[in-house]
Amino acid sequence: LPPGPAGQEAIREMYARISDQAARIRMEQAGEKPVFHDLALDLGTCRITARLPLLADGAGWRMVVFRAAKLKGADMLRLWVRHLAAGAAGLSAASVHVAGGDIFTAPAVSKEQAAQILRDLVRLRMSGMSAPLPLFPRASLTYARRRFDAKNGDMESALNEAWKDWRGGYSTRAEREDPFLRAVYRDTEPDWEAFAAATEAVYGPLLGGDRDL
């Protein structure tokens, strides 16, 4: 923080943001204490174990997670996987992530849908264990938000938006400069068709639902 009055003002702004977020978290939790559920899911091709903290919500359950920072794709996907695990175990839950200045709600899925989406994600993970999966923290989320936009969801415009994050520009740091991504791609470009396919497979059920692309 800067010294003197500038630092004091920065602290006041930070305190106000954290206070607003804490108030939203308390509202979402509604005074309930978490009940921990130990899950062991047999998906046929694999077995998933997890411990999920769920809040009682009438006749069902509610999952509330939070992080004092801007909402990122990793936050959404972390909530999504937990939401799917709860759904596949028959613990249908309303799941939300409370971020700094934003809130994300996972879409409702049936028990069968949750199990199938988990299987699909496990298959993607296994393929990524043998070859790099072209799924990037910033560019993939940008692509998915544009691709699954009801008004402007064509692939070309979604890729154009993703390239801005990947290649960078004025006031935007190029994601390809990430040291891990540089180690994978060096001076080459990713396979953008594979990028689109992987991103749609991961984010499609989360942001696009059953929309026909």
Side-chain angles (χ1 to χ4, degrees), residues 36-95:
F36 288 89
H37 295 260
D38 292 312
L39 310 183
L41 303 173
D42 185 355
L43 299 178
T45 57
C46 69
R47 181 179 174 85
I48 295 178
T49 60
R51 167 169 276 203
L52 299 180
L54 303 179
L55 308 171
D57 185 18
W61 298 98
R62 188 169 186 80
M63 188 187 314
V64 179
V65 299
F66 51 88
R67 191 172 68 90
K70 183 179 179 181
L71 182 69
K72 294 185 176 182
D75 300 317
M76 299 165 64
L77 296 177
R78 190 177 298 112
L79 176 73
W80 181 228
V81 170
R82 295 173 181 176
H83 178 72
L84 292 173
L91 299 170
S92 180
S95 304

Side-chain angles (χ1 to χ4, degrees), residues 53-165:
L54 303 179
L55 308 171
D57 185 18
W61 298 98
R62 188 169 186 80
M63 188 187 314
V64 179
V65 299
F66 51 88
R67 191 172 68 90
K70 183 179 179 181
L71 182 69
K72 294 185 176 182
D75 300 317
M76 299 165 64
L77 296 177
R78 190 177 298 112
L79 176 73
W80 181 228
V81 170
R82 295 173 181 176
H83 178 72
L84 292 173
L91 299 170
S92 180
S95 304
V96 299
H97 177 97
V98 183
D102 199 1
I103 186 167
F104 174 74
T105 302
V109 290
S110 68
K111 181 177 180 179
E112 294 73 20
Q113 287 173 325
Q116 185 56 55
I117 295 170
L118 277 176
R119 291 188 192 97
D120 293 340
L121 291 176
V122 168
R123 278 196 291 270
L124 274 174
R125 180 185 182 277
M126 295 306 296
S127 68
M129 296 295 286
S130 58
L133 191 67
L135 186 74
F136 311 133
R138 283 168 42 209
S140 287
L141 179 58
T142 297
Y143 174 91
R145 281 176 164 163
R146 186 59 176 261
R147 183 72 168 115
F148 297 111
D149 183 291
K151 296 181 180 179
N152 302 296
D154 63 282
M155 182 182 290
E156 182 178 358
S157 65
L159 281 173
N160 284 334
E161 291 300 309
W163 289 335
K164 293 177 184 178
D165 274 326

Side-chain angles (χ1 to χ4, degrees), residues 1-2 6-22 68-69 100:
L1 294 175
Q8 294 173 358
E9 180 61 27
I11 289 175
R12 280 193 290 268
E13 292 179 0
M14 187 183 303
Y15 179 79
R17 290 196 302 270
I18 295 299
S19 296
D20 289 344
Q21 184 181 13

